[in-house]
Amino acid sequence: MDRNAPKILLVDDDKDLLQLIAMRLGAAGYAVRAVESAESALACLVAERPQLVVTDLRMQGMDGLALFDAIRREAPGLPVVILTAHGTIPEAVAATRRGVFGFLTKPFDGQVLLDTVADALRLSGASGADSANWHSGIITRSPAMESLLEQAHRVAASDASICIFGPSGTGKELLARAIHRASRRATAPFVAVNCGAIPEGLLESELFGHRKGAFTGATQDRRGLFQAAEGGTLFLDEVGDMPLALQVKLLRALEERTIRSVGSSEPAAVDVRIVSATHRRLEERIAAGEFREDLYYRLNVVKLVLPALAERREDIPLLAGDFLVRLAERYSRPRLALSPEAMEFLVAAPWPGNVRQLLNVIEQSVALAATEVIPASLVRQALDSGAPPLTPLDAARRAFERDYLARILKITRGNVAQAARLAGRNRTEFYRLLERHALEPGMFKASRAHDGETSEASRVSRVRS
């Protein structure tokens, strides 16, 4: 089965019919998962998001329309086709008005089913291999991310402006590039600019270009990024940090589809699709007078929200594995692997820096790894997590006792009689303690104690004698 084959969730409490339809769809090249109840279907949606649901109408427990209502709440863009042996015209009309994609009455023609499935997948943007290539750089098995990708693919076909919200490090530019690849502008340029990284005095020239002599240092005409992205997509990253004065000029450019270079009074027509992104809450900046409300609505025609890495922990092993493969190749260490404990630590970590932080942690771990298996201690160090997890009392007591015994053996250079006196124990009990911790007095006889330590041992021994 092609790993990029569209996934279909099939739901019917008639086992024989379920198997028959599954075989027919499987023979047509689809990846089919078949379940016998609506409740099982909802559980499947949590585990893995399909591109289409085909469900019977009349089932024990939750019926097909109730399942559709639940799907619409969880995944509004997921198409649903309903099958029934009890179909009536009023039921079909009611179902389609509620948003059901198709309504087929049993017995149905096999080709009609396949045509309906193909239409649903095509309109939802998941009809074949091309649907996987556009977001090939985005690794996920998270239902939340898969739902977001469905929305992104659907809106990519239009020219509507998109604003991507999400914490820093979640991959907003990666999603913007995927949207560009899925759009009709894919063969034209994708141009990205970080509005928060360029000084205010240079950002206008960077976006709109300038004419020779427009300011000191402008020795020749220069095209701006709007013109560089002609016919394609202009990605305005961290648009929430754009200065207010420039927001007015950006709004005019979007409304009039023309720009004016710095130092020029002549407008120039531009044809670009705007995708913007920010980690800020723009509503708060609008309330504070730091962002124009009219520009917000012009940019935010379609709103996409990237989840934080902590909200998609099921993706952490996939992402970590992919990063490890790529970095191991770069560092010429192809056998590197993460220990199970290291992976558990990665999955449980808080990840304030999101995917970007995960990449940095894996790279530091690869660079510092002395063995082929990366231990949890290296991952913890790379995460800068501060103090290690609290040690259980028994382990802490044992560790203290071992370190205490080793210290006084160092002080006495392995002299058990003297060490026992320092510890306030008789020799028999002291030997028992050494045996418990696998400490041999001979290990310390050759070590050279500092003069201060020797003096301390002699002084304490004299006092105790």
Side-chain angles (χ1 to χ4, degrees):
M1 176 64 66
D2 181 358
R3 62 190 296 268
N4 294 325
K7 298 187 287 289
I8 298 176
L9 178 60
L10 181 59
V11 193
D12 201 316
D13 56 3
D14 183 334
K15 292 183 180 180
D16 293 335
L17 187 59
L18 186 70
Q19 185 177 12
L20 177 63
I21 299 174
M23 290 175 60
R24 183 167 289 166
L25 292 174
Y30 299 116
V32 181
R33 185 166 188 174
V35 296
E36 298 177 16
S37 70
E39 291 80 5
S40 296
L42 291 176
C44 290
L45 289 177
V46 175
E48 183 178 28
R49 185 64 52 86
Q51 277 80 50
L52 173 66
V53 175
V54 179
T55 179
D56 190 19
L57 177 62
R58 307 292 188 191
M59 295 184 290
Q60 294 293 323
M62 183 185 293
D63 67 14
L65 285 178
L67 173 60
F68 166 71
D69 289 337
I71 290 172
R72 186 169 57 177
R73 289 191 297 271
E74 296 295 324
L78 182 58
V80 177
V81 173
I82 290 183
L83 312 173
T84 181
H86 308 282
T88 65
I89 291 177
E91 282 180 320
V93 171
T96 52
R97 281 179 176 171
R98 289 164 71 171
V100 172
F101 179 84
F103 193 99
L104 299 180
T105 303
K106 304 173 188 176
F108 48 82
D109 181 86
Q111 190 57 50
V112 172
L113 172 65
L114 293 179
D115 290 344
T116 303
V117 166
D119 288 343
L121 291 170
R122 183 172 60 253
L123 292 176
S124 68
S127 57
D130 288 344
S131 67
N133 294 334
W134 73 278
H135 65 85
S136 57
I138 300 176
I139 300 171
T140 186
R141 62 183 175 195
S142 159
M145 278 295 293
E146 289 176 348
S147 180
L148 176 67
L149 290 175
E150 289 171 8
Q151 297 175 48
H153 192 274
R154 192 170 298 112
V155 75
S158 72
D159 256 353
S161 296
I162 300 170
C163 194
I164 303 171
F165 294 83
S168 296
T170 49
K172 294 186 286 292
E173 182 172 344
L174 198 62
L175 180 59
R177 289 182 180 276
I179 291 170
H180 174 71
R181 286 196 298 271
S183 74
R184 63 178 179 81
R185 299 175 177 269
T187 57
F190 175 92
V191 178
V193 56
N194 189 320
C195 300
I198 301 175
E200 180 176 350
L202 297 179
L203 186 56
E204 181 180 1
S205 170
E206 198 67 20
L207 288 174
F208 305 124
H210 61 253
R211 300 295 298 273
K212 180 180 178 180
F215 50 83
T216 303
T219 57
Q220 59 185 6
D221 290 352
R222 184 177 183 277
R223 296 170 70 227
L225 297 180
F226 263 89
Q227 290 170 307
E230 177 65 25
T233 301
L234 179 60
F235 176 55
L236 303 175
D237 196 10
E238 297 304 344
V239 71
D241 294 332
M242 180 176 286
L244 270 172
L246 195 52
Q247 291 177 29
V248 179
K249 297 178 181 180
L250 175 60
L251 178 63
R252 182 182 301 116
L254 297 179
E255 289 178 339
E256 300 176 0
R257 295 186 176 276
T258 60
I259 60 167
R260 287 179 175 82
S261 299
V262 178
S264 172
S265 59
E266 296 297 322
V270 289
D271 173 28
V272 297
R273 201 261 185 87
I274 299 294
V275 177
S276 54
T278 181
H279 73 282
R280 298 186 180 276
R281 295 181 182 275
L282 292 186
E283 295 85 354
E284 294 178 359
R285 291 184 69 79
I286 290 170
E290 297 172 341
F291 200 85
R292 293 183 61 95
E293 187 174 16
D294 46 5
L295 177 59
Y296 170 78
Y297 288 114
R298 175 65 67 173
L299 294 173
N300 192 29
V301 176
V302 176
K303 179 177 182 178
L304 298 177
V305 182
L306 268 168
L309 184 58
E311 297 170 356
R312 45 182 287 220
R313 291 188 183 276
E314 61 268 55
D315 286 342
I316 292 175
L318 292 176
L319 291 164
D322 180 73
F323 295 156
L324 184 62
V325 168
R326 286 192 274 153
L327 291 167
E329 182 179 353
R330 183 192 304 175
Y331 284 82
S332 300
R333 300 187 62 184
R335 294 187 176 183
L336 275 179
L338 288 159
S339 71
E341 294 79 12
M343 185 62 76
E344 289 176 9
F345 194 86
L346 290 174
V347 171
W351 299 115
N354 296 292
V355 180
R356 186 184 297 124
Q357 183 189 10
L358 175 60
L359 174 59
N360 291 343
V361 165
I362 298 296
E363 181 159 15
Q364 180 173 325
S365 299
V366 168
L368 296 178
T371 60
E372 297 299 327
V373 177
I374 298 174
S377 57
L378 266 186
V379 171
R380 185 181 293 116
Q381 177 184 334
L383 270 166
D384 246 348
S385 59
L390 193 62
T391 306
L393 179 60
D394 287 345
R397 183 185 292 119
R398 187 177 181 85
F400 171 80
E401 192 172 81
R402 181 196 63 235
D403 294 343
Y404 173 82
L405 294 171
R407 181 176 177 227
I408 58 177
L409 283 172
K410 286 180 182 177
I411 291 173
T412 63
R413 300 186 186 182
N415 186 316
V416 174
Q418 192 177 12
R421 285 196 297 274
L422 284 173
R425 294 289 186 270
N426 60 51
R427 290 184 61 176
T428 302
E429 187 180 1
F430 193 80
Y431 270 116
R432 194 178 299 122
L433 289 172
L434 295 181
E435 184 178 354
R436 180 190 303 170
H437 295 283
L439 293 173
E440 293 287 343
M443 298 164 59
F444 302 90
K445 289 186 182 296
S447 64
R448 293 188 172 275
H450 294 296
D451 292 340
E453 291 176 333
T454 306
S455 299
E456 180 189 356
S458 301
R459 180 181 62 78
V460 174
S461 293
R462 287 195 299 272
V463 169
R464 297 211 174 188
S465 298

